[in-house]
Amino acid sequence: MYGFEAMTFNIHGGYLEAIVRGYRAGLLTAADYNNLCQCETLDDIKMHLSATEYGPYLQNEPSPLHTTTIVEKCTLKLVDEYKHMLCQATEPLSTFLEYITYGHMIDNVVLIVTGTLHERDVQELLEKCHPLGMFDSIATLAVAQNMRELYRLVLVDTPLAPYFSECITSEDLDDMNIEIMRNTLYKAYLEDFYKFCQKLGGATAEIMSDLLAFEADRRAVNITINSIGTELTRDDRRKLYSNFGLLYPYGHEELAVCEDIDQVRGVMEKYPPYQSIFSKLSYGESQMLDKAFYEEEVKRLCLAFEQQFHYGVFFAYMRLREQEIRNLMWISECVAQNQKSRVHDSVVFIF
Amino acid sequence: MMEDQEEKGNAENGIGRQKQVKDEYLLQFLDSLDGYLTLLDSLSSTLSQGWLELASARHAMGASRINGALLDLKVHAAATSLKVSEQDVDSMESQPCFTLCKWASSDNGERSSGEEKSLSPQLRHRNNSQLSEEKVSTRTGTPLILVDQQRQKSLSVFGVLVSPKLRSAQLSFERALETLVEIANLHTTMLSMFEQVHKELENTNG
């Protein structure tokens, strides 16, 4: 049994919980996806989406459409809903909602720094940033030469400042350092978010611990698979794994020494929740692993709505919308490239 | 009488040989045309596969990690170059021959690692598995580990830890590039054969 959230939650969180449950009802259904998967052109997709909540965001877009336009406009809807919730939220919900966007903030920081290293124009890079991860001084990132300057000039005044303590060096920024910075920041962010949810206690702590532990474990698997055959050493790989989750610490020790996908499978199959994921893949195959992980994530996120009086529904809704936008991106790409037979390779139904 | 018959026999042999030569040119032309059309089809499917794998990588890694704004605008050496040389055909005419120099680093003006391929019908078969490539050395003896390093270097614009789907896309586009050069060589051969056939027809009619 949790605390007596039922008695006090609705005082500050009741309205927004009702709002987010209303938003959840607007997620696309299997019938919507079936219609979208049968579209012949991107204009057909636009026409089908005009009957959904994305309609107002796409209606003024001229033809010919591009897949990035569809993704951009659908993301705008998510951003509007998030901002509506954030401006109505009180503490600690407002801090919780801000935590949800720190991942995008890290992605934006890395995008600007990488693009600057490649001598790209800052304006061009800012247009590619995720709107949920924007902050005031983001454009100033382009002047930093190393991580110390990055921190001192820009990030010290942002919510990412506490995550920088583990990666401040005076080394010049290069591709490897940037990659390590990205993963170290994300690791610190996840651990901080986890601790924050634990402090909130009750149903929020219970549900968010499960969701964040799954995220940490998935990250560990992706880092392992993506680093096979690269210059990243075993020790460096181990340092990028989060210090919580089902795989911590013994699974991480085994993953750190894996040299191919079959060894990763051997490690993961020892953990019953991940056995079902890897059982869907054939030996040596990693192409469908992303979809298998997304399906498991969606299942867990939908379960978060089965309970009331906790903040996990806000996190779950944001993640489900992001999955929906990924689905729309994939369907649009398959339609644009005339590869409709492959559309079900990566679409994850939410309901 | 005997001389007439001998002359008639010689003339018939000459006509037969001419016909054989014409048939040979025609067959070579049709073979090269068939190869050209097959390669065009192969190129189309390889490119489709590459683009879908790139979209799949974007889906897995996120649009902020794979987009055109991350491509490197700094001046740097081309990872792959094309060499055009003249090749003598039957000691009568020369035709251009295209050779792909893949993953050749031209830093300091010298090639430090590379894989030079003359794309002839004996081109070794490539498959998608990087693991199997690591076990096979190149024709020029350049260690494949250097080639893999060059591949990773070119992908590093998108980050060091990239999805295997992005690596597959890279291999697909690499295959497409090889196919393009094969098509160029075959196109040259086809045109040369067509010229030969045309000349023979004109000689016959003349």
Side-chain angles (χ1 to χ4, degrees):
Chain A
M1 273 299 284
Y2 304 126
F4 295 93
E5 288 105 352
M7 292 172 63
T8 56
F9 184 88
N10 281 348
I11 299 167
H12 296 292
Y15 169 68
L16 281 175
E17 184 177 348
I19 290 287
V20 83
R21 285 181 184 273
Y23 286 158
R24 176 199 179 256
L27 288 166
L28 297 178
T29 61
D32 292 320
Y33 283 120
N34 284 335
N35 288 338
L36 288 167
C37 291
Q38 287 169 22
C39 291
E40 294 289 331
T41 62
L42 294 180
D43 285 319
D44 287 346
I45 289 180
K46 177 183 159 186
M47 190 186 69
H48 278 103
L49 288 177
S50 64
T52 68
E53 292 184 1
Y54 292 113
Y57 292 85
L58 284 169
Q59 66 188 15
N60 294 327
E61 289 306 309
S63 296
L65 271 181
H66 197 269
T67 53
T68 49
T69 311
I70 293 176
V71 171
E72 215 175 278
K73 296 303 168 190
C74 294
T75 306
L76 275 181
K77 175 183 157 39
L78 172 64
V79 172
D80 286 346
E81 288 174 350
Y82 172 80
K83 284 180 177 167
H84 174 77
M85 290 192 293
L86 185 64
C87 72
Q88 307 266 358
T90 57
E91 285 292 343
L93 178 57
S94 52
T95 302
F96 182 91
L97 289 173
E98 283 169 2
Y99 264 105
I100 296 174
T101 63
Y102 292 171
H104 293 299
M105 222 179 264
I106 292 169
D107 287 339
N108 287 351
V109 166
V110 173
L111 174 67
I112 301 281
V113 168
T114 307
T116 306
L117 188 69
H118 298 157
E119 295 185 5
R120 304 301 300 238
D121 181 52
V122 174
Q123 282 311 315
E124 194 186 358
L125 296 168
L126 288 173
E127 283 166 18
K128 298 286 182 188
C129 288
H130 197 290
L132 282 178
M134 296 301 275
F135 51 93
D136 290 336
S137 50
I138 191 170
T140 328
L141 286 167
V143 303
Q145 297 294 318
N146 55 52
M147 284 182 234
R148 204 175 288 280
E149 280 183 17
L150 205 64
Y151 175 76
R152 190 174 56 83
L153 294 175
V154 187
L155 297 173
V156 65
D157 296 321
T158 67
L160 301 182
Y163 309 145
F164 252 78
S165 58
E166 288 186 40
C167 53
I168 293 183
T169 66
S170 298
E171 282 178 39
D172 279 350
L173 293 163
D174 63 21
D175 291 325
M176 180 57 95
N177 289 344
I178 290 173
E179 190 69 46
I180 291 179
M181 179 182 79
R182 180 211 307 273
N183 285 285
T184 308
L185 284 177
Y186 207 90
K187 171 190 168 180
Y189 151 63
L190 269 188
E191 287 171 1
D192 189 36
F193 196 6
Y194 184 81
K195 280 184 199 138
F196 176 75
C197 293
Q198 293 292 308
K199 257 196 288 183
L200 291 175
T204 300
E206 183 78 19
I207 290 165
M208 284 304 297
S209 296
D210 178 61
L211 294 174
L212 291 177
F214 179 79
E215 177 69 19
D217 292 341
R218 179 173 60 177
R219 270 196 71 249
V221 171
N222 284 338
I223 286 170
T224 308
I225 291 174
N226 293 349
S227 62
I228 289 171
T230 67
E231 295 164 356
L232 196 71
T233 63
R234 288 175 179 184
D235 286 337
D236 285 341
R237 190 198 278 181
R238 175 69 189 82
K239 283 181 200 163
L240 299 181
Y241 300 148
S242 301
N243 293 331
F244 69 100
L246 190 62
L247 296 176
Y248 173 78
Y250 305 112
H252 288 171
E253 296 300 329
E254 292 183 65
L255 281 177
V257 300
C258 288
E259 296 293 340
D260 59 51
I261 182 73
D262 289 328
Q263 287 179 15
V264 173
R265 170 198 281 271
V267 171
M268 298 302 287
E269 281 181 340
K270 292 177 192 166
Y271 298 86
Y274 301 122
Q275 228 171 17
S276 59
I277 293 175
F278 281 82
S279 65
K280 294 179 193 174
L281 311 175
S282 45
Y283 279 91
E285 186 211 348
S286 65
Q287 300 290 328
M288 302 306 284
L289 182 61
D290 289 318
K291 184 179 178 185
F293 267 118
Y294 284 137
E295 282 173 343
E296 179 65 23
E297 184 188 24
V298 162
K299 211 163 50 175
R300 292 175 188 230
L301 292 170
C302 288
L303 282 174
F305 284 92
E306 298 301 311
Q307 207 166 326
Q308 279 185 276
F309 313 126
H310 64 89
Y311 294 158
V313 287
F314 299 98
F315 178 83
Y317 173 70
M318 296 294 290
R319 285 298 171 96
L320 286 172
R321 268 291 178 203
E322 284 170 7
Q323 179 60 48
E324 186 173 89
I325 292 170
R326 267 197 295 275
N327 287 345
L328 289 173
M329 189 274 279
W330 180 250
I331 293 171
S332 306
E333 285 287 349
C334 288
V335 166
Q337 292 183 30
N338 205 19
Q339 297 261 25
K340 278 166 54 182
S341 59
R342 303 288 299 273
V343 77
H344 291 288
D345 283 3
S346 295
V347 171
V348 177
F349 294 114
I350 295 172
F351 297 118
Chain B
M1 184 91 162
M2 287 283 286
E3 282 170 1
D4 286 340
Q5 276 181 351
E6 204 177 306
E7 274 177 16
K8 196 178 172 185
N10 283 342
E12 277 175 2
N13 281 344
I15 291 168
R17 269 199 299 277
Q18 264 187 351
K19 195 165 175 236
Q20 249 181 344
V21 166
K22 274 190 230 171
D23 286 347
E24 199 182 304
Y25 284 142
L26 192 59
L27 277 172
Q28 281 177 7
F29 169 69
L30 291 173
D31 278 341
S32 57
L33 181 62
D34 179 58
Y36 179 77
L37 292 173
T38 306
L39 281 177
L40 278 181
D41 192 51
S42 166
L43 176 69
S44 172
S45 70
T46 306
L47 282 174
S48 301
Q49 189 185 331
W51 285 117
L52 193 70
E53 281 164 349
L54 187 62
S56 184
R58 265 188 110 212
H59 177 267
M61 291 170 65
S64 66
R65 288 203 61 186
I66 301 188
N67 62 73
L70 288 172
L71 296 175
D72 200 344
L73 286 186
K74 283 193 292 212
V75 173
H76 56 279
T80 297
S81 55
L82 184 70
K83 195 168 77 171
V84 184
S85 51
E86 294 291 321
Q87 194 179 59
D88 285 331
V89 177
D90 297 334
S91 306
M92 289 181 64
E93 56 183 55
S94 64
Q95 65 188 37
C97 175
F98 302 97
T99 313
L100 199 63
C101 303
K102 281 172 56 177
W103 304 119
S105 170
S106 52
D107 288 342
N108 301 324
E110 291 174 8
R111 232 172 244 154
S112 57
S113 69
E115 187 184 301
E116 194 167 312
K117 285 180 174 297
S118 176
L119 292 164
S120 64
Q122 285 83 38
L123 178 68
R124 68 180 168 87
H125 177 66
R126 275 183 179 268
N127 58 31
N128 271 334
S129 167
Q130 279 183 317
L131 197 58
S132 66
E133 283 181 356
E134 280 173 2
K135 293 177 186 167
V136 178
S137 61
T138 63
R139 245 196 267 158
T140 59
T142 310
L144 267 169
I145 198 153
L146 287 176
V147 171
D148 279 343
Q149 279 174 1
Q150 291 289 327
R151 283 199 182 109
Q152 275 175 38
K153 191 177 160 198
S154 71
L155 274 188
S156 64
V157 290
F158 301 117
V160 174
L161 302 181
V162 296
S163 165
K165 293 175 184 176
L166 190 63
R167 297 188 214 277
S168 299
Q170 183 184 42
L171 286 176
S172 294
F173 288 124
E174 211 177 296
R175 263 202 312 279
L177 195 58
E178 289 169 10
T179 309
L180 272 170
V181 176
E182 274 185 77
I183 287 173
N185 282 328
L186 209 50
H187 188 252
T188 313
T189 309
M190 194 174 67
L191 287 177
S192 163
M193 286 297 115
F194 180 73
E195 285 294 324
Q196 294 290 343
V197 168
H198 202 245
K199 263 188 221 168
E200 290 302 318
L201 280 175
E202 275 178 351
N203 288 344
T204 311
N205 292 340

